[in-house]
């Protein structure tokens, strides 16, 4: 069987798109690849096809391991593969203990050609043992921008890739994402433990021709409301749906009330809703029962609806990357869709504050550490809410505490689990200097601010906005060697 046969037989498609064939050839030949392709372009096939092609020796042990950040998406992807007769599965925390153990056993015994896990799975010694019995021919790192601390969705466990690749015996690796700036591309390569000349960049661009991008400078709620009502009205006759994004739950609720007065039916989705309500609203939206959603960025993970006709930002998002990712949910069916960004200069302050919160200073690191190390008993008994009070964190949503705990865990300082009500963790070591390095923290803060300002520059840009975006994401450029970096 060759790649084309696998494409026909398992997926029922006629031909490869764009650089799919070249990428597949590259990884089948044992070469590493970094793939940047717009959402919906077909990144998955680039590792699924190689996973299916029988290899000559020790065939029964070969497996393709897919690292994916989203538990929510794994099931759908695996279900789709299984429906095409492909031996695929996932292992994550959504499974019951019995089911998880059953899958561990199956994997250890050589079942499955494709296995989906989150990088966090590697923290479990049972999993490390099981996967060590297989021959991981190909490691696919999906949503690879999560690797980079400079990216917009940094996941601490993604930065363990060097260790993970070592454990797996340095397998051929393919990293895939829809959005990565040149800096992030370089960082992905570094985090994989590869040199730029060992990995081939396949940059298909980031353009989605069916999305109509527009930005409008506005002043105050009234002007925003008029735009929302107008865009909604323009699509009222369509069967598809629309999303209006807000940064703050407060603003979202204010607009919900304004829209209610205008008799515009909608639902609201944000992180303060109960988990069950969130799930229900998401399901209703996916089934097309609520054509308009007002949402915070919490809405989006796993939103893979074909006919989203517009994505409107009522407040400026935190970065160029976040904005581009969010509008990327529109028009997956290829039909024309509107993406409108409303810019009120006053909203910039909110984002600047968010950026400061997501970059706690060394002093905050020290304070959190002191509590978990020296007031361990009370922290364990009362959970994050208590800890937040002790730290005088003014705002429940500032997430500084979660950021710090995540980093402490990433650096092996602590280990455990936490949520608002409880906290169970062990302190394993002292605070490493790296985490407290003021220069490093300052650079990170500045980079985050620059990503927000890039969006402001885009709004003010006089020339072709798409040119600006292409330039930002490094389309047409080669991978920079690390020494090229300033
Ligand atoms: P991405 O991960 O890049 O967002 P996916 O891999 O999820 O995109 O693919 C998006 C859709 O395109 C899927 O429905 C997939 O089956 C389809 N697709 C991918 N490659 C091809 C192809 N060569 N021919 C036809 N459809 C394809
Ligand atoms: Mg994908």
């Amino acid at each position: 069987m060759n790649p084309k046969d696998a494409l026909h037989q398992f997926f029922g498609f006629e031909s490869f798109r764009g650089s799919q064939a070249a990428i597949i050839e590259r990884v089948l030949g044992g070469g590493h690849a970094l793939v940047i392709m717009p959402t919906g372009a077909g990144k998955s096939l680039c590792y699924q096809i190689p996973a299916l092609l029988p290899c000559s020796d020790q065939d029964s042990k070969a497996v393709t391991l897919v690292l994916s950040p989203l538990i929510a998406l794994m099931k759908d992807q695996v279900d789709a593969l299984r429906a095409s007769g492909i031996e695929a599965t996932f292992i994550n925390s959504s499974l019951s203990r019995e089911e998880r153990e059953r899958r561990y056993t199956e994997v250890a015994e050589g079942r499955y050609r494709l296995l989906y896990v989150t990088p966090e799975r590697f923290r479990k010694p049972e999993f490390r043992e099981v996967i060590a019995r297989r021959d991981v021919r190909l490691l696919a790192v999906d949503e690879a921008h999560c690797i980079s601390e400079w990216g917009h969705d940094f996941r601490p466990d993604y930065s363990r890739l060097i260790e993970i690749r070592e454990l797996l015996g340095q397998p051929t690796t393919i990293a895939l994402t829809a959005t990565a700036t040149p800096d992030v591309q370089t960082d992905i390569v570094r985090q994989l433990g590869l040199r730029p000349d060992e990995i081939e960049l396949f940059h298909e661009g980031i353009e989605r021709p069916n999305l109509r991008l527009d930005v409008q400078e506005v002043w105050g709620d009234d002007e925003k409301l008029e735009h929302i009502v107008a865009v909604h009205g323009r699509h009222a006759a369509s069967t598809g749906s629309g999303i209006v994004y807000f940064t703050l739950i407060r603003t979202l609720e204010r607009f919900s009330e304004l829209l209610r007065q205008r008799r515009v039916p909608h639902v609201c989705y944000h992180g303060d809703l109960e988990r069950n309500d969130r799930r229900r609203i998401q399901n209703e939206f996916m089934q097309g029962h609520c054509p308009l959603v007002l949402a915070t960025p919490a809405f989006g993970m796993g939103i893979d609806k074909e006919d989203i006709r517009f994505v409107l930002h009522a407040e400026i998002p935190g970065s160029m990357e976040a904005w581009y990712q969010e509008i990327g949910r529109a028009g997956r069916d290829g039909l024309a869709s509107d993406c409108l960004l409303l810019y009120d200069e006053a909203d910039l302050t909110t984002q600047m504050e968010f950026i400061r919160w997501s970059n706690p200073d060394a002093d905050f690191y020290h304070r959190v550490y002191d509590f978990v190390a020296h007031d361990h008993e009370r922290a364990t008994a009362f959970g994050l809410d208590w800890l937040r009070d002790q730290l005088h964190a003014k705002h429940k949503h500032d997430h500084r505490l979660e950021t710090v705990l995540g980093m402490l865990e990433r650096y092996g300082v602590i280990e455990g689990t936490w949520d608002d009500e409880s906290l169970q963790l062990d302190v394993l070591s002292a605070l490493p200097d790296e985490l407290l390095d003021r220069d490093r923290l300052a650079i990170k803060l500045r980079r985050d601010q620059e990503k927000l300002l890039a969006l402001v520059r885009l709004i003010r840009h006089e020339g072709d906005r798409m040119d600006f975006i292409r330039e930002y994401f490094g389309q047409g450029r080669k991978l920079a060697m690390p020494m090229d970096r300033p």
Side-chain angles (χ1 to χ4, degrees):
M1 193 159 38
N2 64 28
K4 197 122 193 231
D5 298 334
L7 183 72
H8 297 313
Q9 183 178 325
F10 291 103
F11 299 94
F13 297 142
E14 266 313 297
S15 52
F16 285 113
R17 285 180 183 162
S19 19
Q20 280 176 333
I23 296 165
I24 291 167
E25 192 184 307
R26 165 92 185 164
V27 299
L28 282 174
H32 309 295
L34 171 56
V35 175
I36 302 175
M37 255 187 219
T39 306
K43 288 185 282 298
S44 326
L45 282 188
C46 300
Y47 56 83
Q48 287 166 347
I49 298 256
L52 294 170
L53 296 182
C55 351
S56 44
D57 53 336
Q58 292 175 315
D59 208 7
S60 65
K61 285 177 75 186
V63 67
T64 291
L65 185 67
V66 185
L67 296 185
S68 158
L70 289 181
I71 288 179
L73 286 189
M74 281 180 195
K75 187 170 182 318
D76 291 348
Q77 286 176 332
V78 165
D79 284 349
L81 290 169
R82 297 183 69 108
S84 315
I86 294 165
E87 278 272 83
T89 196
F90 63 88
I91 298 179
N92 65 33
S93 56
S94 76
L95 300 175
S96 69
R97 192 203 181 90
E98 291 87 20
E99 184 56 31
R100 197 159 50 232
E101 278 166 7
R102 177 162 44 241
R103 293 191 195 183
Y104 276 152
T105 312
E106 289 171 342
V107 171
E109 284 169 352
R111 195 167 162 206
Y112 302 117
R113 316 285 307 227
L114 274 145
L115 172 62
Y116 287 71
V117 297
T118 63
E120 285 79 6
R121 186 69 10 212
F122 278 89
R123 294 187 199 171
K124 311 280 182 203
E126 314 89 271
F127 177 70
R128 300 169 77 106
E129 238 166 71
V130 162
I131 200 67
R133 301 219 209 145
R134 296 295 293 268
D135 172 13
V136 176
R137 284 292 164 83
L138 178 61
L139 175 69
V141 184
D142 205 4
E143 310 294 347
H145 56 273
C146 297
I147 286 184
S148 174
E149 217 188 319
W150 312 130
H152 55 296
D153 272 329
F154 174 57
R155 280 270 289 254
D157 281 76
Y158 261 80
S159 63
R160 296 171 193 256
L161 258 297
I162 290 188
E163 283 164 53
I164 291 176
R165 290 191 66 245
E166 205 171 275
L167 182 85
L168 300 175
Q170 314 289 6
T172 304
T173 302
I174 177 171
L176 316 101
T177 172
T179 39
T181 60
D183 267 356
V184 172
Q185 294 164 27
T186 311
D187 206 25
I188 290 172
V189 174
R190 191 176 60 86
Q191 298 279 3
L192 291 172
L194 297 171
R195 290 190 319 270
D197 58 354
E198 289 177 297
I199 184 164
E200 188 170 345
L201 173 66
F202 294 87
H203 199 319
E204 286 224 334
I206 46 153
E207 210 155 333
R208 304 271 312 279
N210 61 317
L211 302 189
R212 287 187 295 244
L213 308 190
D214 192 12
V215 299
Q216 293 287 335
E217 287 212 48
V218 293
W219 179 255
D221 282 3
D222 292 347
E223 282 187 37
K224 282 184 181 173
L225 186 66
E226 291 317 315
H227 280 291
I228 297 173
V229 171
V231 172
H232 175 256
R234 207 182 310 148
H235 293 281
S238 108
T239 53
S241 29
I243 306 175
V244 184
Y245 276 113
F246 295 85
T247 307
L248 299 172
I249 298 174
R250 212 173 49 232
T251 328
L252 184 157
E253 285 174 339
R254 204 165 66 230
F255 275 84
S256 173
E257 179 56 27
L258 293 170
L259 286 169
R260 210 179 50 76
Q261 288 166 11
R262 294 272 196 117
R263 299 184 192 288
V264 177
H266 62 274
V267 294
C268 300
Y269 184 105
H270 54 73
D272 267 2
L273 299 176
E274 294 290 332
R275 184 194 279 260
N276 282 338
D277 288 332
R278 288 208 303 263
R279 195 171 303 151
R280 179 178 49 78
I281 292 167
Q282 180 161 341
N283 285 339
E284 284 173 10
F285 177 80
M286 295 300 284
Q287 288 155 17
H289 299 319
C290 37
L292 180 62
V293 185
L294 311 193
T296 60
F299 187 70
M301 294 296 229
I303 297 300
D304 194 2
K305 191 171 190 284
E306 288 262 282
D307 57 353
I308 297 176
R309 289 281 70 85
F310 65 92
V311 173
L312 194 153
H313 283 83
E315 291 175 287
I316 188 171
S319 66
M320 177 81 109
E321 289 93 320
W323 172 69
Y324 209 75
Q325 181 112 4
E326 281 160 8
I327 63 171
R329 298 188 179 119
R332 298 235 171 135
D333 53 9
L335 301 179
S337 308
D338 283 308
C339 303
L340 173 61
L341 169 58
L342 299 178
Y343 177 56
D344 186 335
E345 214 175 66
D347 298 337
L348 207 53
T349 327
T350 314
Q351 284 299 351
M352 293 297 276
E353 193 168 42
F354 270 37
I355 290 174
R356 271 196 306 277
W357 284 341
S358 62
N359 289 282
D361 57 20
D363 177 51
F364 197 78
Y365 272 97
H366 273 299
R367 285 163 59 208
V368 173
Y369 181 79
D370 282 346
F371 274 108
V372 295
H374 304 127
D375 218 342
H376 192 245
E377 220 160 277
R378 283 200 296 167
T380 306
F382 302 126
L384 290 196
D385 273 342
W386 175 83
L387 203 49
R388 236 179 250 119
D389 282 346
Q390 307 306 303
L391 293 160
H392 306 294
K394 280 197 276 311
H395 208 293
K396 185 176 181 324
H397 291 288
D398 81 9
H399 292 300
R400 270 187 306 170
L401 179 55
E402 288 85 342
T403 303
V404 167
L405 291 175
M407 291 303 279
L408 293 182
E409 186 177 44
R410 164 64 194 99
Y411 281 85
V413 178
I414 60 171
E415 194 177 69
T417 58
W418 50 82
D419 58 33
D420 285 349
E421 286 83 38
S422 78
L423 180 125
Q424 239 118 53
L425 48 81
D426 296 319
V427 178
L428 308 175
S429 74
L431 276 176
D433 292 342
E434 237 174 313
L435 274 180
L436 305 173
D437 179 346
R438 276 166 220 275
D439 290 342
R440 185 183 152 278
L441 293 170
I443 293 173
K444 168 78 170 52
L445 175 65
R446 211 186 56 229
R447 290 216 188 209
D448 284 356
Q449 289 166 338
E450 279 167 3
K451 286 191 286 200
L452 172 60
L453 293 178
L455 201 46
V456 178
R457 281 209 301 277
L458 170 77
I459 291 162
R460 297 272 159 80
H461 189 64
E462 303 268 327
D464 183 346
R465 290 212 175 85
M466 211 49 228
D467 280 346
F468 185 98
I469 298 169
R470 274 191 288 262
E471 170 70 24
Y472 186 82
F473 289 110
Q475 195 169 327
R477 270 196 260 166
K478 289 207 192 97
L479 268 178
M481 299 299 265
M483 47 275 209
D484 294 350
R485 278 154 64 98

